[in-house]
Amino acid sequence: MFETRYVDVGWAKLAVHTVGSGPPALLIHGYPLDHRVWLDLLASPLTARNTLVAVDLRGHGMSPWAGDPVHAMELFADDCAALIQTLALGPAHVAGLSMGGYVTLALWERHPKVVRSLALVDTRSAADSEQGKAGRMAAMDAVVNAGRRALALAMIEALVPSDADLITKGRIASMIEFQPVETIIADLRGMRDRVDRTWVLPTVRVPALVVVGERDTLTPPAEATQIARAIPGARLVVVPGSGHLVPIDGAAVLVRELGAFWRDSE
Ligand code: MLT
């Protein structure tokens, strides 16, 4: 079982969930999720070689909302850097899922010294298109007017392949419904306004792994391929049959790949 504690970073209090021993690896979840998206990794053989530190970004999971109307990716990245420094984890392996990947690229841009290696999972480097920004506005409208359950049900179909089992779908839906409305709105604003970090990719000077589900329709394999090509020496892994949440529906492959990647990066 992992240990949960709270760490103060400026005005925010972050819940961190730690298990294992060895070089630390910070796991940054996606939107609108929390550390539980990594549960299969936290209970995996990865913990024999690495200390896994799954953070709840401010306002998510067990971390209280800090009152920010916008969760900018830079704000999350600065929180993660402060966390790594406060817990003396650095330089740490960093793995980011989707929105966590946006945060990981911002972390590399702003605080490269705290990063030992980068794993970008089901994510992209580009900013939102105009259509994407409109989708954020529609999601804000949906969560305010129809509620989190409706948002969860609408999102599930995009997050996992439609033939995913009921337990998987239920696990994800309950995680989405658990996040405060304030957090969901602030995340949507932050993602809508985030900058294009494609220029950051060629500046990466640490080992990099890019992972994507073969059936990920939100951040599809074509985008992951471009990310991997742009980062010097990056390795690309396409997980057969998985959708947008590889830590859940492709966990066994992710455990194997991260284990080998972190071992080779130490
Ligand atoms: C996520 O999984 O974090 C989101 O799909 C990211 C996004 O909506 O851009």
Side-chain angles (χ1 to χ4, degrees), residues 29-33 97-100 102 122 124 128 136 155 159 191 194 218-219 244-245:
H29 60 78
Y31 155 86
L33 306 172
L97 167 68
S98 199
M99 182 180 76
Y102 311 157
D122 295 310
R124 61 163 51 93
D128 273 6
R136 304 295 187 197
M155 286 190 71
L159 292 176
M191 291 191 291
R194 78 184 190 283
L218 291 177
T219 50
H244 183 62
L245 297 182

Side-chain angles (χ1 to χ4, degrees), residues 23-26 84 89-94 113-118:
L26 180 69
I84 291 172
L89 303 175
H93 300 296
V94 179
K113 287 203 169 73
V114 304
V115 180
R116 182 190 291 254
S117 75
L118 294 180

Side-chain angles (χ1 to χ4, degrees), residues 227-248:
I227 292 176
R229 282 195 187 131
I231 300 178
R235 170 170 156 72
L236 173 69
V237 175
V238 180
V239 183
S242 287
H244 183 62
L245 297 182
V246 163
I248 288 184

